[in-house]
Amino acid sequence: MLKYLFITYIIFNFYYSQSSFSHFINNHQAFLSMPIKHISFDYQNSNIDGISQLGEGSIFIGQDTCKIVLNNYIFLFQNNTMKRYNRNTNQIFIENNNPEIDSLLLNFFNINNLEKINLDNNGYITNLSSDLNMHDLKVYLKFSSDSSSISKLNIEYNQFSFSLLNLNFTNKALDLNNPFSFKFPDAFILDLRD
């Protein structure tokens, strides 16, 4: 009897993880097919210097560029480089980026990648497409009650933790001329690349 309960448990968990992304994909076809994807959210973080622990933000995802806006910070990920602008100090920092983070940001919301993701019983991603080159990252997802949307996305990397809450997946074309603009003419620029 225990054997049958265990098999039923495994099948249920496999079906649940697959059906969660199927519902998400079905409910967000317009968002997933946009050339530039926009997600707005509330966030919480721990151990990330300079960024407030609570706030609101947006992510713009293009084919090979990603821009994140968090209260007083703007991040641009492009060509394995991260540019970080601090509005309070009017400074731009240019750094080499982590390829795992680039891959996650640029490729996660690709339908082919979403269809390959598996979750464990606790909502942690256990299997990813080879396009999502994640080794040191842990990603936790919580779906809405009907599995039609993601209500929480938590990313853990070493001692850092960043949670996105109340995610809003925009399915309309952006009215912005260039959502990836990163021009701050009077900013002090510090290039930290190797």
Side-chain angles (χ1 to χ4, degrees):
M1 180 68 171
L2 242 128
K3 179 178 170 182
Y4 295 113
L5 287 174
F6 183 70
I7 292 171
T8 304
Y9 176 76
I10 290 173
I11 291 171
F12 174 76
N13 285 326
F14 177 76
Y15 173 75
Y16 178 77
S17 67
Q18 294 301 323
S19 67
S20 295
F21 278 104
S22 296
H23 289 259
F24 177 82
I25 291 168
N26 289 338
N27 284 288
H28 291 87
Q29 282 289 337
F31 166 77
L32 293 168
S33 64
M34 298 300 287
I36 298 175
K37 296 169 181 61
H38 175 234
I39 306 167
S40 58
F41 53 86
D42 296 325
Y43 72 85
Q44 297 175 343
N45 86 79
S46 60
N47 297 326
I48 302 178
D49 290 336
I51 298 176
S52 58
Q53 289 186 336
L54 300 171
E56 297 177 351
S58 290
I59 298 176
F60 301 90
I61 305 168
Q63 183 175 354
D64 58 0
T65 305
C66 179
K67 182 177 178 182
I68 301 174
V69 180
L70 305 173
N71 290 346
N72 293 318
Y73 281 90
I74 299 172
F75 299 85
L76 183 69
F77 298 85
Q78 188 175 41
N79 301 325
N80 294 321
T81 301
M82 178 181 71
K83 294 180 182 178
R84 176 173 39 115
Y85 176 67
N86 182 332
R87 292 179 198 204
N88 291 333
T89 62
N90 197 31
Q91 294 176 312
I92 296 173
F93 297 91
I94 303 172
E95 306 170 54
N96 294 325
N97 193 28
N98 182 318
E100 292 178 352
I101 294 173
D102 276 350
S103 177
L104 178 67
L105 292 171
L106 295 173
N107 298 312
F108 188 83
F109 287 104
N110 175 309
I111 291 176
N112 294 329
N113 290 332
L114 288 175
E115 290 174 340
K116 296 175 186 175
I117 293 174
N118 292 324
L119 302 175
D120 70 9
N121 298 342
N122 298 317
Y124 283 94
I125 293 177
T126 59
N127 184 32
L128 289 168
S129 165
S130 59
D131 292 341
L132 297 170
N133 184 21
M134 288 180 18
H135 300 289
D136 298 329
L137 294 171
K138 290 182 184 177
V139 179
Y140 163 82
L141 290 169
K142 181 178 180 185
F143 287 94
S144 60
S145 59
D146 64 355
S147 299
S148 65
S149 194
I150 298 171
S151 60
K152 181 177 181 180
L153 175 64
N154 187 60
I155 301 167
E156 298 172 10
Y157 181 72
N158 294 330
Q159 74 274 19
F160 305 109
S161 176
F162 196 82
S163 296
L164 285 72
L165 310 157
N166 304 319
L167 288 92
N168 181 19
F169 300 91
T170 305
N171 61 2
K172 296 178 182 167
L174 297 174
D175 293 335
L176 304 172
N177 289 336
N178 184 4
F180 301 110
S181 174
F182 198 84
K183 295 179 182 175
F184 308 99
D186 297 329
F188 176 77
I189 299 172
L190 185 58
D191 194 336
L192 304 173
R193 291 176 288 185
D194 297 333

